[in-house]
């Protein structure tokens, strides 16, 4: 059972296709996974919420199979509207209803920060199990300069905390970067990552006009910059990691 305010998923459904931050983070995610296997593949969005990222991934990469799970029935019902062609079900990221090695690409966006430490370890072990030996994992979390745990249901990651958790689960990080550098610097007091119980629900509010153009323009520049392997951004309220099974990384050396 997850405790979120009543209108959380309806609000997420509304902002995820209209807010510049989602447009920007989708572009950045795509830049980071540019080298991962393309169209013929099977993808899973673990903790897919109301389906915005799956919609984007299907439109951009036309995977042969697209699956999503979320712990919330309400989220899955909204996701079914947004991505009717996907296989969607209610499940926990700590107990994924798929055989080992089912997916070429697994994404897990802004879920890990909502889990207890033991659930984070279980979730990453499950993600490792369902990613094929030649597969790729994309993880997005909130970020701070220094990792902290506010309570059992919410924490902030830093680069070292995310990289260590991934390595302990049998992944190797190929990319690890912050995102939305200038936007995060500009809003570092007002818009630092917040737990969902906060009045903002931890979701951005819809902006229009210059702020929206500026925000999406800056994130488009970041996406172009990050397309090149080896590049990363040193600051931002969001962290993204691209990881692969350790054995795959070893074999490439
Ligand atoms: C901040 S939202 C992110 C949703 C979506 N991935 C996105 O990027 O918009 C966190 C999501 O994680 C889901 N969630 C929380 N705990 C989970 C668990 N144990 N298993 C699966 N989903 C979970 C919530 O229901 C919610 O949809």
């Amino acid at each position: 059972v997850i405790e979120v305010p009543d209108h959380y998923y309806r609000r997420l459904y509304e902002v995820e296709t209209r807010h510049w931050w989602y447009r920007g983070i989708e572009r950045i995610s795509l830049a980071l996974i540019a080298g991962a296997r393309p169209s013929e593949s099977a993808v899973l969005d673990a903790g897919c919420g109301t389906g915005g990222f799956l919609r984007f991934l299907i439109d951009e990469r036309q995977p042969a199979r697209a699956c999503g799970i979320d712990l919330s029935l309400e989220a899955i019902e909204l996701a079914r509207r947004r991505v009717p062609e996907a296989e969607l079900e209610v499940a926990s990221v700590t107990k994924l209803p798929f055989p080992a090695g089912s997916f070429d690409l697994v994404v897990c966006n802004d879920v890990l920060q909502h889990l207890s430490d033991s659930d984070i370890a279980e979730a990453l072990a499950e993600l490792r199990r369902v990613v094929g030996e030649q597969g790729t994992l994309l993880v997005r979390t909130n970020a701070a300069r220094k990792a902290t745990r506010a309570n059992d249901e919410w924490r902030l990651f830093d680069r070292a905390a995310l990289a260590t958790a991934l390595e302990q689960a049998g992944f190797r990080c190929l990319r690890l970067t912050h995102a939305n550098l200038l936007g995060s610097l500009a809003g570092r007091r007002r818009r630092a990552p917040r737990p969902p119980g906060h009045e903002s629900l931890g979701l951005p509010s819809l902006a229009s006009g210059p702020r929206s153009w500026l925000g999406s323009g800056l994130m488009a520049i970041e996406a172009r910059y990050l397309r090149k392997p080896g590049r990363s951004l040193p600051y931002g309220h969001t962290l993204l990691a691209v990881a692969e099974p350790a054995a795959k990384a070893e074999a490439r050396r």
Side-chain angles (χ1 to χ4, degrees):
V1 178
I2 34 176
E3 307 234 345
V4 290
D6 264 2
H7 47 305
Y8 179 80
Y9 294 104
R10 264 175 288 128
R11 179 107 179 88
L12 176 61
Y13 186 80
E14 182 192 3
V15 295
E16 70 183 357
T17 49
R18 294 173 55 202
H19 195 279
W20 58 267
W21 184 88
Y22 286 92
R23 297 282 68 72
I25 211 69
E26 286 166 357
R27 291 275 143 218
I28 289 171
S29 304
L30 202 60
L32 291 173
I33 56 168
R37 286 171 77 182
S39 34
E40 74 280 8
S41 59
V43 305
L44 168 68
D45 188 339
C48 63
T50 52
F53 195 80
L54 260 185
R55 178 74 275 150
F56 171 76
L57 213 50
I58 291 171
D59 292 344
E60 287 293 325
R61 307 216 2 179
Q62 290 94 38
R65 183 182 184 207
C67 302
I69 63 97
D70 198 284
L71 201 53
S72 154
L73 173 61
E74 190 184 352
I76 288 294
E77 282 173 349
L78 288 165
R80 284 190 179 126
R81 277 194 224 166
R82 179 145 282 151
V83 270
E85 66 271 60
E87 296 168 38
L88 298 163
E89 60 183 296
V90 175
S92 173
V93 68
T94 57
K95 201 167 188 297
L96 292 170
F98 305 103
S102 294
F103 299 100
D104 303 291
L105 175 66
V106 175
V107 302
C108 186
N109 288 330
D110 285 324
V111 177
L112 294 183
Q113 63 259 37
H114 298 285
L115 306 181
S116 68
D117 285 342
S118 61
D119 279 358
I120 290 174
E122 266 181 58
L124 288 173
E126 275 295 86
L127 296 175
R128 173 63 198 87
R129 186 180 66 76
V130 300
V131 173
E133 289 311 320
Q134 297 306 313
T136 304
L137 172 72
L138 172 70
V139 175
R140 185 212 298 161
T141 68
N142 62 16
R145 281 202 181 282
K146 206 168 172 342
T148 48
R149 179 167 276 293
N151 55 50
D152 219 29
E153 276 133 45
W154 203 72
R155 62 162 296 164
L156 277 154
F157 281 87
D158 61 19
R159 292 163 71 102
L162 184 56
T164 304
L166 285 166
E167 285 185 12
Q168 284 171 348
F171 287 106
R172 288 289 168 277
C173 267
L174 297 182
R175 308 287 303 266
L176 185 58
T177 182
H178 289 264
N180 192 23
L181 192 156
L182 291 176
S184 304
L185 272 178
R188 66 185 179 279
R189 276 178 206 287
R190 279 174 299 119
R191 289 194 294 278
R194 301 201 196 277
H198 181 267
E199 69 198 36
S200 71
L201 304 179
L203 297 172
S205 41
L206 286 171
S208 56
R211 218 175 97 199
S212 166
W213 302 327
L214 186 63
S216 53
L218 289 171
M219 285 178 89
I221 292 170
E222 288 187 2
R224 233 170 296 144
Y225 176 78
L226 290 169
R227 189 163 270 277
K228 198 153 183 202
R231 288 182 172 172
S232 64
L233 296 169
Y235 180 78
H237 291 157
T238 298
L239 256 181
L240 294 130
V242 178
E244 57 183 25
K248 178 183 170 193
E250 289 302 315
R252 206 152 14 81
R253 283 199 183 160

Coordinates of all heavy atoms in Angstrom, one line a residue, residues 2 4 8-9 12 16 21-22 25 45-53 69-73 75 91-96 107-115 119 123 140 196 201-203, ligand 1:
I2 N 0.6 2.2 -0.9 CA 1.4 3.4 -0.9 C 0.4 4.6 -0.5 O -0.7 4.6 -0.9 CB 2.0 3.7 -2.2 CG1 1.2 3.2 -3.4 CG2 3.4 3.1 -2.3 CD1 1.7 3.6 -4.7
V4 N -0.4 8.2 -0.9 CA -0.2 9.5 -1.6 C -1.5 10.2 -1.5 O -2.6 9.6 -1.3 CB 0.2 9.3 -3.1 CG1 1.6 8.7 -3.3 CG2 -0.8 8.4 -3.8
Y8 N -3.0 12.8 -6.5 CA -1.6 12.7 -6.9 C -1.6 12.1 -8.4 O -0.9 12.7 -9.2 CB -0.8 11.8 -6.0 CG 0.6 11.6 -6.4 CD1 1.5 12.6 -6.2 CD2 1.0 10.5 -7.1 CE1 2.9 12.5 -6.6 CE2 2.3 10.3 -7.6 CZ 3.2 11.3 -7.3 OH 4.5 11.2 -7.7
Y9 N -2.2 11.0 -8.6 CA -2.0 10.4 -10.0 C -2.7 11.2 -11.1 O -2.2 11.2 -12.2 CB -2.5 8.9 -9.9 CG -1.6 8.1 -9.0 CD1 -2.0 7.7 -7.8 CD2 -0.3 7.7 -9.4 CE1 -1.2 7.0 -6.9 CE2 0.5 7.0 -8.6 CZ 0.1 6.6 -7.3 OH 0.9 5.9 -6.5
L12 N -0.3 13.9 -11.8 CA 0.8 13.4 -12.6 C 0.4 13.1 -14.0 O 1.1 13.5 -15.0 CB 1.3 12.1 -11.9 CG 2.4 11.3 -12.6 CD1 3.7 12.2 -12.7 CD2 2.7 10.0 -11.9
E16 N 2.5 15.3 -16.8 CA 3.6 14.6 -17.5 C 3.7 14.7 -19.0 O 4.7 14.5 -19.6 CB 3.6 13.1 -17.1 CG 2.5 12.3 -17.7 CD 2.5 10.8 -17.3 OE1 3.4 10.4 -16.5 OE2 1.5 10.1 -17.6
W21 N 9.6 20.2 -18.0 CA 10.5 19.3 -17.3 C 10.5 17.9 -17.8 O 11.5 17.2 -18.1 CB 10.3 19.3 -15.8 CG 11.4 18.6 -15.1 CD1 12.6 19.0 -14.6 CD2 11.4 17.2 -14.7 NE1 13.3 18.0 -14.1 CE2 12.6 16.8 -14.1 CE3 10.4 16.2 -14.9 CZ2 12.9 15.6 -13.6 CZ3 10.7 14.9 -14.4 CH2 11.9 14.6 -13.8
Y22 N 9.2 17.4 -18.0 CA 9.1 16.0 -18.5 C 9.6 15.9 -20.0 O 10.3 14.9 -20.3 CB 7.6 15.6 -18.4 CG 7.2 15.2 -17.0 CD1 6.7 16.2 -16.2 CD2 7.4 14.0 -16.5 CE1 6.4 16.0 -14.9 CE2 7.1 13.7 -15.1 CZ 6.6 14.7 -14.3 OH 6.3 14.4 -13.0
I25 N 13.4 15.9 -19.7 CA 14.0 14.7 -19.0 C 13.9 13.5 -20.0 O 14.7 12.6 -20.0 CB 13.5 14.4 -17.6 CG1 14.5 13.8 -16.7 CG2 12.2 13.6 -17.6 CD1 15.7 14.7 -16.4
D45 N 8.9 -0.5 -18.0 CA 8.9 0.7 -17.2 C 8.4 0.2 -15.8 O 7.3 -0.1 -15.6 CB 8.1 1.8 -17.7 CG 8.3 3.1 -16.9 OD1 8.8 3.0 -15.8 OD2 8.0 4.2 -17.5
A46 N 9.4 0.1 -14.8 CA 9.1 -0.4 -13.5 C 8.7 0.7 -12.6 O 9.6 1.5 -12.3 CB 10.3 -1.2 -13.0
G47 N 7.5 0.8 -12.2 CA 7.0 2.0 -11.5 C 6.6 3.1 -12.5 O 7.0 4.2 -12.4
C48 N 5.8 2.6 -13.5 CA 5.5 3.5 -14.7 C 4.6 4.6 -14.4 O 4.3 5.5 -15.2 CB 4.9 2.6 -15.8 SG 3.3 1.9 -15.4
G49 N 4.0 4.7 -13.2 CA 3.0 5.8 -12.9 C 1.9 5.8 -13.9 O 1.3 4.7 -14.2
T50 N 1.6 6.9 -14.4 CA 0.4 7.1 -15.3 C 0.8 6.9 -16.8 O 0.0 7.2 -17.7 CB -0.3 8.4 -15.1 OG1 0.6 9.5 -15.1 CG2 -0.9 8.4 -13.7
G51 N 2.1 6.4 -17.1 CA 2.4 6.0 -18.4 C 3.1 6.9 -19.3 O 3.3 6.6 -20.5
G52 N 3.4 8.1 -18.8 CA 4.0 9.2 -19.7 C 5.3 8.7 -20.4 O 5.5 8.9 -21.6
F53 N 6.2 8.1 -19.6 CA 7.5 7.7 -20.2 C 7.3 6.6 -21.2 O 8.0 6.5 -22.2 CB 8.5 7.4 -19.1 CG 9.9 7.4 -19.6 CD1 10.6 8.6 -19.8 CD2 10.5 6.2 -20.0 CE1 11.9 8.6 -20.3 CE2 11.8 6.2 -20.5 CZ 12.5 7.4 -20.7
I69 N 4.7 -1.7 -14.9 CA 4.0 -2.1 -13.7 C 4.1 -0.9 -12.7 O 4.9 -0.1 -12.8 CB 4.7 -3.3 -13.0 CG1 6.2 -3.0 -12.6 CG2 4.6 -4.6 -13.9 CD1 6.3 -2.6 -11.2
D70 N 3.1 -0.9 -11.8 CA 3.1 0.1 -10.8 C 2.3 -0.5 -9.6 O 1.4 -1.3 -9.8 CB 2.5 1.4 -11.2 CG 2.8 2.6 -10.3 OD1 2.3 2.7 -9.2 OD2 3.7 3.4 -10.7
L71 N 2.6 -0.1 -8.4 CA 2.0 -0.6 -7.2 C 0.6 0.0 -7.1 O -0.3 -0.6 -6.4 CB 2.8 -0.2 -6.0 CG 2.6 -0.9 -4.7 CD1 2.8 -2.4 -4.9 CD2 3.6 -0.4 -3.6
S72 N 0.3 1.1 -7.8 CA -1.0 1.7 -7.6 C -2.0 1.4 -8.8 O -1.6 1.5 -9.9 CB -0.8 3.3 -7.6 OG -2.0 3.9 -8.1
L73 N -3.2 0.9 -8.4 CA -4.2 0.5 -9.4 C -4.6 1.8 -10.1 O -4.8 1.8 -11.4 CB -5.4 -0.1 -8.7 CG -6.6 -0.4 -9.6 CD1 -6.2 -1.3 -10.8 CD2 -7.8 -1.0 -8.8
A75 N -2.9 4.5 -10.8 CA -1.9 4.8 -11.8 C -2.0 3.9 -13.0 O -2.0 4.4 -14.2 CB -0.5 4.7 -11.2
A91 N 1.8 -4.3 -9.8 CA 2.8 -5.2 -9.2 C 3.8 -4.3 -8.5 O 3.9 -3.1 -8.7 CB 3.5 -6.0 -10.2
S92 N 4.7 -4.9 -7.6 CA 5.7 -4.1 -7.0 C 7.0 -4.4 -7.7 O 7.3 -5.5 -8.2 CB 5.9 -4.6 -5.5 OG 7.0 -3.9 -4.9
V93 N 7.8 -3.3 -7.7 CA 9.2 -3.4 -8.3 C 10.0 -4.4 -7.5 O 11.1 -4.9 -8.0 CB 9.8 -2.0 -8.4 CG1 10.1 -1.4 -7.0 CG2 11.0 -2.0 -9.3
T94 N 9.6 -4.7 -6.2 CA 10.4 -5.7 -5.4 C 10.0 -7.1 -5.8 O 10.5 -8.1 -5.2 CB 10.1 -5.5 -3.9 OG1 8.7 -5.5 -3.7 CG2 10.7 -4.1 -3.5
K95 N 9.0 -7.3 -6.6 CA 8.5 -8.7 -7.0 C 7.9 -8.6 -8.4 O 6.7 -8.5 -8.5 CB 7.5 -9.2 -6.0 CG 7.3 -10.7 -5.9 CD 6.5 -11.0 -4.7 CE 6.4 -12.5 -4.5 NZ 5.8 -13.3 -5.5
L96 N 8.8 -8.6 -9.4 CA 8.3 -8.4 -10.7 C 7.7 -9.6 -11.4 O 8.3 -10.7 -11.2 CB 9.5 -7.9 -11.6 CG 10.0 -6.5 -11.2 CD1 11.3 -6.1 -11.9 CD2 9.0 -5.4 -11.5
V107 N 13.5 0.6 -17.5 CA 13.6 1.9 -16.9 C 12.9 1.9 -15.6 O 11.9 1.2 -15.4 CB 13.1 3.0 -17.8 CG1 13.8 3.0 -19.2 CG2 11.6 2.9 -18.0
C108 N 13.5 2.7 -14.6 CA 12.9 2.8 -13.3 C 13.0 4.3 -12.9 O 14.1 4.7 -12.5 CB 13.6 1.9 -12.3 SG 12.8 1.8 -10.7
N109 N 12.0 5.1 -13.2 CA 12.0 6.5 -13.0 C 11.4 7.0 -11.7 O 10.2 6.9 -11.5 CB 11.3 7.2 -14.2 CG 12.1 7.0 -15.5 OD1 13.3 7.0 -15.5 ND2 11.3 7.0 -16.6
D110 N 12.2 7.6 -10.9 CA 11.7 8.3 -9.7 C 10.9 7.4 -8.8 O 9.9 7.8 -8.2 CB 11.0 9.6 -10.0 CG 11.9 10.7 -10.4 OD1 13.0 10.7 -9.9 OD2 11.6 11.4 -11.3
V111 N 11.4 6.1 -8.6 CA 10.7 5.2 -7.7 C 11.6 4.8 -6.5 O 11.1 4.8 -5.4 CB 10.4 3.9 -8.5 CG1 9.7 2.8 -7.6 CG2 9.5 4.1 -9.7
L112 N 12.9 4.6 -6.8 CA 13.8 4.2 -5.7 C 13.7 5.1 -4.5 O 13.8 4.6 -3.3 CB 15.2 4.0 -6.2 CG 15.4 2.9 -7.3 CD1 16.9 2.9 -7.6 CD2 14.9 1.6 -6.9
Q113 N 13.6 6.4 -4.7 CA 13.6 7.3 -3.5 C 12.4 7.1 -2.6 O 12.4 7.6 -1.5 CB 13.8 8.7 -4.0 CG 12.6 9.3 -4.8 CD 12.9 9.3 -6.3 OE1 13.6 8.4 -6.8 NE2 12.5 10.4 -7.0
H114 N 11.4 6.4 -3.1 CA 10.2 6.2 -2.2 C 10.3 4.9 -1.4 O 9.3 4.5 -0.8 CB 9.0 6.1 -3.1 CG 8.7 7.4 -3.8 ND1 8.2 8.6 -3.2 CD2 9.0 7.8 -5.1 CE1 8.2 9.6 -4.1 NE2 8.6 9.1 -5.2
L115 N 11.4 4.1 -1.6 CA 11.5 2.8 -0.9 C 12.4 2.8 0.3 O 13.3 3.6 0.4 CB 12.0 1.8 -2.0 CG 11.3 1.7 -3.3 CD1 11.9 0.6 -4.2 CD2 9.8 1.4 -3.1
D119 N 14.0 -2.4 0.7 CA 13.3 -2.6 -0.6 C 14.1 -2.1 -1.8 O 13.9 -2.6 -2.9 CB 11.9 -1.8 -0.5 CG 10.9 -2.6 0.2 OD1 11.2 -3.7 0.6 OD2 9.8 -2.0 0.5
A123 N 14.5 -4.3 -4.9 CA 14.0 -3.8 -6.2 C 15.1 -3.9 -7.2 O 14.9 -4.4 -8.4 CB 13.6 -2.3 -6.1
R140 N 16.3 6.7 -12.9 CA 16.3 8.1 -12.5 C 15.9 8.3 -11.1 O 14.9 7.6 -10.6 CB 15.2 8.8 -13.4 CG 15.2 10.3 -13.3 CD 13.8 10.8 -13.5 NE 13.3 10.6 -14.8 CZ 12.0 10.7 -15.1 NH1 11.1 10.9 -14.1 NH2 11.6 10.4 -16.3
P196 N 6.4 13.4 -1.4 CA 5.0 13.6 -2.0 C 4.0 14.2 -1.1 O 3.0 14.8 -1.5 CB 4.6 12.2 -2.4 CG 5.8 11.3 -2.2 CD 6.8 12.1 -1.5
L201 N 3.0 18.1 -3.9 CA 2.9 16.6 -4.2 C 4.2 16.1 -4.8 O 4.3 15.0 -5.3 CB 1.8 16.3 -5.2 CG 0.4 16.8 -4.9 CD1 -0.6 16.4 -6.0 CD2 -0.1 16.1 -3.6
G202 N 5.3 16.9 -4.7 CA 6.6 16.6 -5.3 C 6.5 16.7 -6.8 O 7.4 16.2 -7.5
L203 N 5.4 17.3 -7.3 CA 5.3 17.4 -8.8 C 5.5 18.9 -9.2 O 5.1 19.8 -8.4 CB 3.9 16.9 -9.2 CG 3.6 15.5 -9.0 CD1 2.1 15.2 -9.3 CD2 4.5 14.6 -9.9
Ligands
LIG1 C1 7.3 9.8 -8.4 S1 6.2 8.6 -9.1 C2 7.1 8.3 -10.7 C3 6.1 7.8 -11.7 C4 6.8 7.6 -13.1 N1 7.8 6.6 -13.1 C5 7.3 8.9 -13.6 O1 8.5 9.1 -13.8 O2 6.4 9.8 -13.8 C6 6.6 7.2 -8.2 C7 5.8 6.0 -8.7 O3 6.3 4.8 -8.0 C8 5.2 4.0 -7.7 N2 5.7 3.1 -6.7 C9 6.0 3.3 -5.4 N3 6.4 2.2 -4.7 C10 6.4 1.2 -5.7 C11 6.7 -0.2 -5.7 N4 7.1 -0.8 -4.6 N5 6.5 -0.9 -6.8 C12 6.1 -0.3 -8.0 N6 5.8 1.0 -8.0 C13 5.9 1.8 -6.9 C14 4.2 5.0 -7.3 O4 2.9 4.4 -7.3 C15 4.4 6.0 -8.3 O5 3.6 5.8 -9.5

